[in-house]
Amino acid sequence: MSTKLINIGFGNMVSANRIVAIVAPESAPIKRIIQEARERGTLIDATYGRRTRAVIIADSGHVVLSAVQPETVAHRMVSKEQVIEEDE
């Protein structure tokens, strides 16, 4: 099984196989998840100081902050899967 990497902005990549959820950061439960990850040391901030637009939750418990819209990240993930399926 090959590793599929998804661009989450500014040249940063995350493994598509490890993504559990891609969500917007506005709700209170998501803000709580971000704060808990920060306290545990499992928060990865890939925003380069910009506004957080997407929160990516991995199966390892890591939480990744991205400055790219959740829809854009999801679209990139789906596009990669379609290209790989066509190649096989």
Side-chain angles (χ1 to χ4, degrees), residues 24-51:
E26 288 85 25
S27 72
I30 299 303
K31 289 179 181 178
R32 198 167 27 255
I33 288 171
I34 293 169
Q35 186 58 39
E36 289 171 359
R38 182 174 282 120
E39 291 168 1
R40 280 193 319 265
T42 58
L43 181 71
I44 301 168
D45 188 349
T47 62
Y48 281 68
R50 298 205 172 55
R51 182 171 160 238

Side-chain angles (χ1 to χ4, degrees), residues 73-88:
V73 176
H75 178 70
R76 290 175 183 175
M77 193 168 161
V78 171
S79 296
K80 280 265 194 197
E81 288 174 0
Q82 289 174 348
V83 169
I84 290 169
E85 287 175 8
E86 290 173 3
D87 290 344
E88 292 175 352

Side-chain angles (χ1 to χ4, degrees), residues 1-15:
M1 186 164 139
S2 65
T3 302
K4 302 169 198 146
L5 297 175
I6 304 299
N7 184 341
I8 59 167
F10 304 108
N12 296 302
M13 306 284 191
V14 70
S15 175

Side-chain angles (χ1 to χ4, degrees), residues 55-66:
V55 178
I56 301 165
I57 301 171
D59 61 357
S60 62
H62 286 83
V63 177
V64 182
L65 305 181
S66 173

